Amino acid sequence: MNRYRTPLKNVRGLGAAKTGTEHFVHQRLTATALVVLSIWFLVFVLGLLGADYVTATAAIAKPWNAVLVVGFLVAMFWHAQLGLQIVLEDYIHNSLLALALQTTVKFVAVLGAIVSVFAVVRIALGAA
């Protein structure tokens, strides 16, 4: 029966894992969020130039600033992980090494995001 199948019929369903579009959309959404949040963060940091520690922590402790800093950090780590994933998929051809590096990148990104968000929450709640 297989001899009557066309080459196209043989490969149907064996293509992409159908997650490429999702990855593309996440990368574009985090990039768009980072454009807006980076402009805000740059203005925020420039406004704190010359400020002492107490003034800086008080500025971060304001609810809107804390939320925006957390959003910036999460978007930054997520976007970095997505970008590094593409680089590793394109340039690392050893399966075991690629798996180890992908796992390491995800672990470092999640750990970095958790530690950063924890620091902001600690400042925002006045425990710093």
Side-chain angles (χ1 to χ4, degrees), residues 35-94:
V35 167
V36 174
L37 289 170
S38 294
I39 292 169
W40 169 83
F41 189 72
L42 184 63
V43 170
F44 179 70
V45 170
L46 289 176
L48 291 175
L49 279 178
D52 60 350
Y53 176 79
V54 174
T55 305
T57 55
I60 291 174
K62 292 180 182 176
W64 279 108
N65 289 341
V67 168
L68 290 173
V69 169
V70 166
F72 175 72
L73 292 167
V74 169
M76 181 183 62
F77 280 107
W78 191 3
H79 186 75
Q81 183 272 320
L82 291 171
L84 287 171
Q85 178 180 344
I86 293 296
V87 170
L88 292 174
E89 288 171 355
D90 287 347
Y91 295 107
I92 305 297
H93 303 295
N94 180 330

Side-chain angles (χ1 to χ4, degrees), residues 12 16 19-20 23 27 30-31 37 50 58 60 73 77 80 94 97-98 110 127:
R12 277 200 204 274
T19 59
H23 189 278
Q27 203 169 27
T30 56
L37 289 170
I60 291 174
L73 292 167
F77 280 107
N94 180 330
L97 179 61
V110 169

